């Protein structure tokens, strides 16, 4: 059985005609960058997310960088974020001369622990950057309340949870990436809405921020050859927009397929003591960018067993950011963020994509269970 972490080849079959005919029309029109395809895709995405503005850019890392640039922070300003994420989240903070201030995660959702945010706030804090990890929203109601109380901005890193819905305690629903002042996403091929190359987008409901972001991703230009601010060059090409538009139409279907695969895994593992299945938060749907188990088994040994049976697995992320050499200058040490450190050692992510068949799911779960019940 050929099992992959992410199967983009099979998924392509379902969008092949639309993608190839879209590509053909780009070759014929010559509008390779920021053409009508890009505009159409952004309009559809804004509509899907119920957000006023979608600003396209070249990748998720640029989206985060542009968001920070748009808020006009000063060198040394502090940005609160999580150490249990992909490096990009904190990398752009440092790159802009700002200071990442890590706050540990809570053990059930792997998202920033809102009970620990306020003690990390100083007179230099300007912004909170939560990450909606693995497909589920952070506790946005609490984050927005803390931000309002302390007059802080909120930038959501929504690279992993596009399509997740958050429900506030008054019943109001909003989609991941549209609740903070700015939301950012990545369309890296393996993301839930993935291009066939690099791509990203920025979301906001604020007209002035939208205008600033459009300028920033285009060399700070409002009009051609007149730059008002220092910007970056970060554009979405038309080919990626065609792919993304075709996939956006299927995103609800893709999410349902991921949730069905997760439900299958849940059921298979629910009685296995050595495995803890993913927690479902009360306020957020889960779109399963990753299906991640917590285990106290020897993880390397388990992964070797899986690999020997042709079942791939991954660890997201084996080192929390504060223990990466790149952040050594922050002078953190082991033990500073114990929950993140624990999860870095005890989590394992299973194959998760839109094309998993019942036979594959059965094979993967029985391979895992055979290891767990071996002893
Ligand atoms: C993928 C990812 C990014 C970066 O996106 P790129 O498009 O690869 O630049 C940022 N943050 C998180 C949480 C991610 O998963």
């Amino acid at each position: 059985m050929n099992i992959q972490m992410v199967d983009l080849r099979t998924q392509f079959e379902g969008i092949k005609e639309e993608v190839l005919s879209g590509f053909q029309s780009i070759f014929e029109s010559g509008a390779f960058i920021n053409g009508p395809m890009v505009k159409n895709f952004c309009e559809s995405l804004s509509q899907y997310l119920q957000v006023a503005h979608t600003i396209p850019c070249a990748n998720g890392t640029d989206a985060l960088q542009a968001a920070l640039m748009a808020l006009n922070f000063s060198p040394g300003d502090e940005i609160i974020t999580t150490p249990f994420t992909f490096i990009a989240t904190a990398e752009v903070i440092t790159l802009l001369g700002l200071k990442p201030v890590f706050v540990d995660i809570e053990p059930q959702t792997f998202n920033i622990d809102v009970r620990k945010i306020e003690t990390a706030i100083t007179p230099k804090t300007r912004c909170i950057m939560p990450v909606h990890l693995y497909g589920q929203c952070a506790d946005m109601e609490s984050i927005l309340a803390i931000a309002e109380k302390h007059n802080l901005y909120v930038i959501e890193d929504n690279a992993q949870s596009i399509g997740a819905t958050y429900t506030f305690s008054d019943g109001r629903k909003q989609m991941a990436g549209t609740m903070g002042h700015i939301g950012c996403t990545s369309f890296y091929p393996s993301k839930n809405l993935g291009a066939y190359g690099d791509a990203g987008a920025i979301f906001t409901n604020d007209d002035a921020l939208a205008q600033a972001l459009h300028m920033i991703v285009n060399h700070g230009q409002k009009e051609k050859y007149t730059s008002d601010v220092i910007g970056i060059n970060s554009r979405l090409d038309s080919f990626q927009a065609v792919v993304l538009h075709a996939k956006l139409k299927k995103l609800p279907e893709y999410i349902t397929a991921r949730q069905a695969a997760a439900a299958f895994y849940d059921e298979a593992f629910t009685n296995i003591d050595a495995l803890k299945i993913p927690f479902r938060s009360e306020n957020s749907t889960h779109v399963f960018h990753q299906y991640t188990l917590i285990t106290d088994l020897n993880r390397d040994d388990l992964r070797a067993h899986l690999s020997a049976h042709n079942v791939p697995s991954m660890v997201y992320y084996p080192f929390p950011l504060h223990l990466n050499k790149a952040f050594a200058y922050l002078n953190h040490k082991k033990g500073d963020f114990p929950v993140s450190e624990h999860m870095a050692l005890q989590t394992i992510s299973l194959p998760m994509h839109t094309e998993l068949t019942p036979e594959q799911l059965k094979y993967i779960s029985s391979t895992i269970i055979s290891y767990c019940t071996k002893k």
Side-chain angles (χ1 to χ4, degrees):
M1 208 172 296
N2 177 18
I3 298 171
Q4 295 167 272
M5 283 303 286
V6 179
D7 182 355
L8 299 174
R9 181 65 194 81
T10 309
Q11 194 190 48
F12 174 60
E13 292 304 324
I15 53 170
K16 191 171 179 171
E17 274 163 43
E18 184 170 347
V19 167
L20 293 182
S21 75
F23 280 12
Q24 173 109 24
S25 68
I26 294 170
F27 287 123
E28 282 160 5
S29 76
F32 295 109
I33 295 223
N34 275 341
M37 310 288 187
V38 174
K39 197 160 172 270
N40 290 345
F41 165 63
C42 288
E43 277 169 13
S44 298
L45 186 56
S46 292
Q47 203 162 27
Y48 172 75
L49 294 175
Q50 295 289 298
V51 71
H53 305 278
T54 296
I55 297 95
C57 65
N59 56 68
T61 308
D62 280 2
L64 292 164
Q65 179 176 337
L68 288 167
M69 290 171 77
L71 296 172
N72 289 316
F73 298 130
S74 307
D77 283 352
E78 295 177 2
I79 315 295
I80 289 176
T81 191
T82 155
F84 198 66
T85 176
F86 182 58
I87 184 104
T89 317
E91 184 181 41
V92 291
I93 298 173
T94 297
L95 207 55
L96 292 171
L98 309 168
K99 184 181 175 195
V101 173
F102 296 124
V103 167
D104 210 355
I105 55 169
E106 55 126 322
Q108 289 182 305
T109 61
F110 311 102
N111 284 323
I112 193 166
D113 190 337
V114 295
R115 294 164 308 177
K116 295 177 182 161
I117 291 178
E118 280 196 286
T119 54
I121 293 175
T122 75
K124 288 194 147 187
T125 308
R126 294 287 175 269
C127 179
I128 308 173
M129 257 170 109
V131 179
H132 306 311
L133 204 73
Y134 297 159
Q136 197 165 234
C137 293
D139 179 355
M140 285 305 289
E141 183 149 2
S142 303
I143 291 166
L144 293 171
I146 294 166
E148 191 169 338
K149 178 172 158 198
H150 296 273
N151 203 15
L152 308 174
Y153 285 108
V154 175
I155 299 173
E156 298 169 73
D157 181 342
N158 192 33
Q160 300 191 4
S161 298
I162 199 150
T165 305
Y166 186 85
T167 307
F168 289 84
S169 50
D170 64 2
R172 199 165 41 88
K173 290 180 192 295
Q174 258 180 290
M175 298 201 77
T178 70
M179 293 173 270
H181 297 88
I182 303 179
C184 300
T185 204
S186 162
F187 303 122
Y188 184 77
S190 63
K191 299 286 156 89
N192 285 23
L193 179 59
Y196 290 156
D198 276 311
I202 314 163
F203 311 109
T204 185
N205 284 307
D206 182 308
D207 296 345
L209 280 178
Q211 200 181 19
L213 287 162
H214 274 294
M215 273 171 44
I216 286 165
V217 296
N218 185 29
H219 298 291
Q221 298 181 132
K222 202 185 285 175
E223 283 156 52
K224 222 170 165 106
Y225 307 124
T226 50
S227 286
D228 291 5
V229 293
I230 294 294
I232 57 177
N233 170 24
S234 188
R235 300 182 283 230
L236 180 66
D237 74 64
S238 305
F239 291 104
Q240 302 312 336
V242 163
V243 174
L244 290 166
H245 209 167
K247 287 200 187 183
L248 178 60
K249 291 178 198 162
K250 289 181 174 276
L251 187 56
E253 198 179 303
Y254 290 162
I255 291 172
T256 305
R258 286 173 179 276
Q259 289 168 337
F264 187 104
Y265 283 143
D266 276 359
E267 171 138 3
F269 302 137
T270 194
N271 292 320
I272 308 293
D273 288 341
L275 304 174
K276 204 159 143 202
I277 62 174
F279 175 80
R280 309 301 203 277
S281 127
E282 235 172 76
N283 295 322
S284 175
T285 60
H286 201 319
V287 296
F288 287 98
H289 176 56
Q290 300 299 342
Y291 185 91
T292 303
L293 295 164
I294 305 173
T295 179
D296 48 17
L297 296 170
N298 181 326
R299 187 176 62 187
D300 289 344
D301 205 38
L302 168 61
R303 294 191 68 203
H305 169 86
L306 294 178
S307 175
H309 292 84
N310 294 315
V311 174
S313 65
M314 290 291 278
V315 173
Y316 303 107
Y317 297 89
F319 299 99
L321 296 189
H322 66 287
L323 300 181
N324 276 259
K325 206 167 149 191
F327 292 110
Y329 79 97
L330 293 171
N331 292 316
H332 283 302
K333 56 185 186 317
K334 244 190 191 153
D336 282 356
F337 305 103
V339 183
S340 299
E341 290 167 29
H342 177 78
M343 294 309 168
L345 297 172
Q346 313 284 180
T347 51
I348 176 168
S349 297
L350 304 186
M352 173 49 75
H353 56 78
T354 58
E355 313 299 320
L356 283 162
T357 64
E359 293 71 33
Q360 289 177 326
L361 288 163
K362 214 166 168 173
Y363 179 76
I364 296 164
S365 39
S366 60
T367 308
I368 293 170
I369 291 168
S370 76
Y371 179 87
C372 296
T373 51
K374 183 172 71 176
K375 293 156 197 172

